[in-house]
Amino acid sequence: MMTNKKSDKQELKGSDLNRKDHWEHVYSDKNAIEVSWYQQCPKSSLNLIKATDVEKSARIIDIGGGASTLVDFLLATGYQNLSVLDIAHGAIEQAKDRLGQHADKVEWIEQDITKFIAEESFDVWHDRAVFHFLTDTDDRLKYVKTMSNALNPGAHAIVATFDLDGPERCSGLDIVRYSTETLAAVFGAGFQLVETMSEEHKTPGGASQSFVYCRFKRV
Ligand SMILES: C[S@@+](CC[C@H](N)C(=O)[O-])C[C@H]1O[C@@H](n2cnc3c(N)ncnc32)[C@H](O)[C@@H]1O
């Protein structure tokens, strides 16, 4: 069983601090069920993780998992080696409070993904609505390098972003919209596209947001 471990906090400066501040403010201001990206059940993510056919002992990481209920459903399904990484302490605390004693079964990593160094490899990398916040080329390159280093050949990456007809901003921040083709191009030859799907997400406020989900295999 995994321990309840938190990575060392890195020194944050300038724009990094602004980024962290932004997300801490979001989670201090709002409850998990009020944010626009809230899903009662993250069905598409669960279906795509199931489609990888990994063992229940597989190491799965949810990048920018926030206070998402994905981890609850994965635990309930029997997955045993789960990690949730998020830049916001407040998001992790909300998820832990919700899970109660089950929170101890999860590795919680409070970290900016562009600074993250994986100490061990993962079998499944999941990211819904995080990569698209990286509007800076260097940050995207760091993300792809980190993801590439964290996954051995044959491992899986599931990444969901706003689709080309999705919103231009989220949580008051600019984002980059992707199609299956442009997302696959960013991840490059190290990732083979296995499956792609669209989703119309209904926000708690009733708006509709187009997402594209891609499942890749590490080559
Ligand atoms: C739009 S929310 C999506 C949350 C969750 N994945 C979901 O689908 O419900 C974006 C999340 O990514 C986190 N985040 C944003 N930028 C990040 C970064 N550079 N590194 C790690 N987490 C980040 C935020 O704190 C927030 O929880």
Side-chain angles (χ1 to χ4, degrees):
M1 186 179 293
M2 309 223 60
T3 53
N4 202 8
K5 188 179 86 180
K6 194 184 282 181
S7 293
D8 291 340
K9 287 186 199 170
Q10 76 276 20
E11 294 254 326
L12 291 168
K13 293 194 183 95
S15 59
D16 291 343
L17 190 57
N18 294 340
R19 183 186 275 167
K20 181 169 172 63
D21 276 355
H22 172 86
W23 290 105
E24 295 296 2
H25 179 72
V26 167
Y27 286 103
S28 68
D29 203 38
K30 285 188 173 160
N31 214 291
I33 59 169
E34 297 169 333
V35 292
S36 61
W37 51 91
Y38 172 71
Q39 296 176 293
Q40 191 274 327
C41 176
K43 285 196 195 100
S44 300
S45 297
L46 288 166
N47 287 339
L48 288 167
I49 291 170
K50 189 173 176 207
T52 64
D53 215 18
V54 294
E55 303 283 335
K56 293 293 191 287
S57 58
R59 296 197 74 221
I60 302 176
I61 186 164
D62 190 15
I63 302 299
S68 162
T69 56
L70 179 64
V71 66
D72 309 41
F73 283 94
L74 292 175
L75 282 172
T77 311
Y79 291 100
Q80 298 147 14
N81 276 313
L82 304 175
S83 303
V84 175
L85 177 149
D86 203 280
I87 196 169
H89 181 73
I92 289 175
E93 287 306 307
Q94 283 197 26
K96 280 181 171 178
D97 284 352
R98 190 186 60 233
L99 281 165
Q101 62 184 18
H102 297 296
D104 291 346
K105 299 174 187 164
V106 178
E107 179 187 35
W108 303 96
I109 307 169
E110 185 184 324
Q111 178 67 280
D112 185 326
I113 187 56
T114 63
K115 305 282 188 306
F116 178 55
I117 298 169
E119 285 163 15
E120 290 177 78
S121 56
F122 293 93
D123 301 301
V124 180
W125 175 285
H126 174 270
D127 167 345
R128 172 178 178 267
V130 185
F131 181 71
H132 67 195
F133 285 106
L134 303 181
T135 54
D136 182 83
T137 308
D138 279 351
D139 282 343
R140 286 196 291 273
L141 288 172
K142 281 184 212 156
Y143 182 107
V144 175
K145 191 173 173 193
T146 301
M147 181 169 98
S148 304
N149 290 341
L151 299 174
N152 290 324
H156 311 268
I158 296 160
V159 180
T161 69
F162 282 157
D163 209 333
L164 291 184
D165 59 348
E168 290 175 4
R169 288 166 72 82
C170 179
S171 184
L173 300 176
D174 287 339
I175 58 98
V176 181
R177 298 181 292 182
Y178 293 91
S179 63
T180 298
E181 292 73 23
T182 57
L183 198 54
V186 173
F187 293 138
F191 290 90
Q192 180 201 345
L193 180 68
V194 178
E195 186 179 357
T196 181
M197 55 169 289
S198 306
E199 182 184 72
E200 280 303 313
H201 168 63
K202 291 275 179 247
T203 71
S208 190
Q209 299 181 332
S210 301
F211 274 83
V212 59
Y213 285 72
C214 293
R215 177 161 70 90
F216 299 95
K217 202 166 221 186
R218 180 83 171 98
V219 177

